[in-house]
Amino acid sequence: MSTPKMLNIDESAGIANLRLEKSLYPLDVVYGAAYVLIDRAYVRLDKDDKGRVLVEIQSKDNPSADGLNALAGEFSNELLTQALRRKLTMQNKAELEAIVTQAIAGASGALLPGLMDDDDLDFLDDPLGIAVPWEEKFSKKRERNKKKGKRNEPYPGTTPKALSACSP
Amino acid sequence: MSLTLELHRKLYRPAALETATEAFGELASISVERSDRYYVITFSDVDPDVEAVLTQEFANYVLAETVESRGTSA
């Protein structure tokens, strides 16, 4: 079984031709690699009947076989780099979107959903009763007990047993 | 003398081709036709100073515009 040749160099025309399998190199990857090279080479893309992408690379400076080989090798490496970058981007897409969303929301001063649920509360509202001083909260009960002639219980946490539990 | 360039329609964006046609308009008269699979671009009245590299530079320009418009610059 012969291996299909991916690279062909036409030295007389000064052109390196690459044939890329669509399943291995998505179009985004090919575009990315070509873009990196276009300052040093002329790159033309084509497609064959099987959907494979054909890449024609022509050096701007060094049309020799060595120069073409170097460009083709660099292009192949760049294909792999772009493919890896694409894979990582897709893997981390959800996290990236969440980070960007939070950054934009923070920069614009908007609150995220969930933090806006308490908007109808006034600053004086105290549904949990946490703003009532401790003495005030328990003094009413003590006064009621006094009137009824009942013996007041010590304040919570101040019984001898509780105090001894706190001591070292 | 005229030059001809063929660019695959599934690989190059028409908007990129239009931009390139405008950008290179001073160097040649450019006409674009569509075949089944290709944009067939014909350059006539070519500026002799750029004749040797006009089609390649044009193809590069269209490719760069296509990539940038897709948001895949790297």
Side-chain angles (χ1 to χ4, degrees), chain A residues 28 31 35 44-47, chain B residues 6 11-12 38 68 70:
Chain A
D28 281 342
Y31 278 133
Y35 192 83
R44 199 171 72 87
L45 305 179
D46 202 351
K47 256 186 178 182
Chain B
E6 290 185 335
L11 297 172
Y12 294 87
Y38 293 96
E68 284 167 10
R70 286 171 61 99

Side-chain angles (χ1 to χ4, degrees), chain A residues 76-89:
Chain A
S76 304
N77 282 349
E78 193 58 39
L79 283 172
L80 295 176
T81 305
Q82 294 287 335
L84 177 64
R85 181 177 293 181
R86 184 175 185 268
K87 188 182 171 187
L88 291 173
T89 304

Side-chain angles (χ1 to χ4, degrees), chain A:
Chain A
M1 184 178 132
S2 64
T3 308
K5 204 174 178 186
M6 179 183 164
L7 172 65
N8 175 43
I9 289 185
D10 183 350
E11 199 176 345
S12 60
I15 291 173
N17 292 294
L18 286 103
R19 191 174 54 233
L20 307 173
E21 289 295 333
K22 195 180 172 183
S23 56
L24 294 176
Y25 303 105
L27 204 49
D28 281 342
V29 168
V30 179
Y31 278 133
Y35 192 83
V36 170
L37 232 63
I38 57 176
D39 60 332
R40 283 165 292 150
Y42 298 115
V43 184
R44 199 171 72 87
L45 305 179
D46 202 351
K47 256 186 178 182
D48 67 7
D49 294 335
K50 294 179 180 174
R52 291 178 295 203
V53 176
L54 309 173
V55 186
E56 189 183 282
I57 302 172
Q58 188 177 0
S59 174
K60 289 183 181 180
D61 307 324
N62 184 7
S64 69
D66 289 344
L68 290 171
N69 259 317
L71 272 177
E74 195 175 331
F75 182 81
S76 304
N77 282 349
E78 193 58 39
L79 283 172
L80 295 176
T81 305
Q82 294 287 335
L84 177 64
R85 181 177 293 181
R86 184 175 185 268
K87 188 182 171 187
L88 291 173
T89 304
M90 290 177 81
Q91 275 177 355
N92 300 323
K93 193 178 178 186
E95 287 84 353
L96 286 171
E97 283 177 356
I99 290 167
V100 171
T101 304
Q102 283 183 1
I104 291 172
S108 66
L111 291 172
L112 293 174
L115 294 176
M116 300 165 71
D117 294 346
D118 295 337
D119 259 5
D120 52 343
L121 285 178
D122 193 75
F123 77 98
L124 290 174
D125 292 344
D126 184 23
L128 299 176
I130 54 175
V132 180
W134 185 81
E135 293 85 354
E136 192 180 311
K137 195 173 182 179
F138 289 99
S139 65
K140 290 174 187 171
K141 194 179 171 186
R142 292 175 72 85
E143 280 171 17
R144 252 185 283 132
N145 285 343
K146 218 175 195 177
K147 284 178 185 172
K148 288 179 185 175
K150 284 185 182 177
R151 185 172 166 262
N152 272 326
E153 292 171 8
Y155 292 123
T158 58
T159 60
K161 195 178 176 183
L163 290 171
S164 65
C166 296
S167 62

